[in-house]
Amino acid sequence: MNEDSTHFGFQQVPTEEKARKVAEVFHSVASRYDLMNDLMSFGIHRLWKRFAINIAGVRPGDKVLDLAGGTGDLTERMVRMVGAKGGVVLSDINASMLEEGRRRLLDAGICGNVEYVLADAEQLPFPDNHFDIVTMAFGLRNVTRKERALASIQRVLKPGGRLLVLEFSKPVVPGLAPVYDVYSFKVLPLMGKLVAQDASSYRYLAESIRMHPDQETLKGMMEAAGLSGVEYFNLSGGIVAVHRAYKY
């Protein structure tokens, strides 16, 4: 694969087209994104996200960036944790997802200590050494140039700050991978068709998971971006993993 092309699921597309294609997927699914997450994971995604927040060590007064934060479910938890002296920036590259997040948080009665920023993870519009914590849940695999995004995150973290990446990964339990394949490529598109009237977007999501770096590869990418102390935690047999890294 050269610099002029990249993967969109299993397809090869011109690099400059990937962001547009990903945007189309999330514009399509935004209004039913939370419902589909519950159905696809049988609600377990909430436990994965809770684990990620727990090991992030969010404290009162922290300044947090919830990157690719979508519908704001992590932001909703963390804004309560940072308190009146802290703040959370909910950021996403997709306007439909960000608007869904804003609506959801307002419905939950959250209107203070939250900022909404439309931003590209590869070119974050924030000062150097700005955030105590950056979280990114199920967003990194959709980024065209992951190395640039990780370097951008490293830049905006304060010294001593932490990055938490929750993402689908590679199953490590023997016998799990073939079962997971059947579920991903047969069941998910069917659920997308029945619930969201969009089978193709959920087929892309399944394919994007398979194209995402495995646990060790992503760890190496984080280290190459200047992050330290990188470790990861496999959840649900490695179907997802949480990577935690620090800026020293």
Side-chain angles (χ1 to χ4, degrees), residues 72-165:
D73 43 359
L74 268 72
T75 292
E76 183 177 354
R77 292 174 181 271
M78 293 189 294
V79 75
R80 304 181 196 279
M81 299 169 77
V82 300
K85 295 184 178 179
V88 180
V89 174
L90 174 58
S91 179
D92 204 287
I93 195 172
N94 187 281
S96 297
M97 293 292 287
L98 193 62
E99 184 56 37
E100 192 69 19
R102 185 199 300 269
R103 182 195 61 76
R104 185 175 182 275
L105 291 174
L106 289 173
D107 285 350
I110 295 172
C111 54
N113 300 341
V114 182
E115 295 178 57
Y116 302 91
V117 177
L118 191 68
D120 182 344
E122 296 181 23
Q123 305 174 67
L124 292 173
F126 306 109
D128 295 355
N129 308 315
H130 191 65
F131 293 103
D132 298 289
I133 297 170
V134 176
T135 61
M136 194 173 193
F138 303 116
L140 185 60
R141 73 181 188 282
N142 297 306
V143 174
T144 303
R145 300 174 183 86
K146 296 174 180 60
E147 296 86 354
R148 291 188 187 181
L150 291 170
S152 189
I153 292 168
Q154 193 270 354
R155 178 185 65 78
V156 302
L157 273 173
K158 294 178 181 178
R162 303 174 293 290
L163 167 63
L164 278 295
V165 173

Side-chain angles (χ1 to χ4, degrees), residues 163-197:
L163 167 63
L164 278 295
V165 173
L166 170 62
E167 189 53 89
F168 290 104
S169 201
K170 298 295 185 286
V172 295
V173 174
L176 180 57
V179 176
Y180 185 45
D181 280 344
V182 170
Y183 175 73
S184 298
F185 294 108
K186 301 295 185 184
V187 179
L188 283 191
L190 179 60
M191 291 171 67
K193 180 179 180 180
L194 295 175
V195 178
Q197 288 78 55

Side-chain angles (χ1 to χ4, degrees), residues 8 19 44 124 160 195 212 221 231 235:
F8 174 73
I44 299 172
L124 292 173
V195 178
H212 187 66
M221 292 170 67
E231 57 187 334
L235 305 176

Side-chain angles (χ1 to χ4, degrees), residues 178-233:
V179 176
Y180 185 45
D181 280 344
V182 170
Y183 175 73
S184 298
F185 294 108
K186 301 295 185 184
V187 179
L188 283 191
L190 179 60
M191 291 171 67
K193 180 179 180 180
L194 295 175
V195 178
Q197 288 78 55
D198 189 348
S200 62
S201 289
Y202 284 92
R203 188 174 298 109
Y204 158 73
L205 293 177
E207 292 176 0
S208 71
I209 291 167
R210 296 309 187 277
M211 299 301 292
H212 187 66
D214 64 21
Q215 289 91 325
E216 282 293 325
T217 302
L218 181 54
K219 178 182 177 183
M221 292 170 67
M222 289 180 165
E223 291 168 342
L227 294 159
S228 304
V230 185
E231 57 187 334
Y232 60 83
F233 306 85

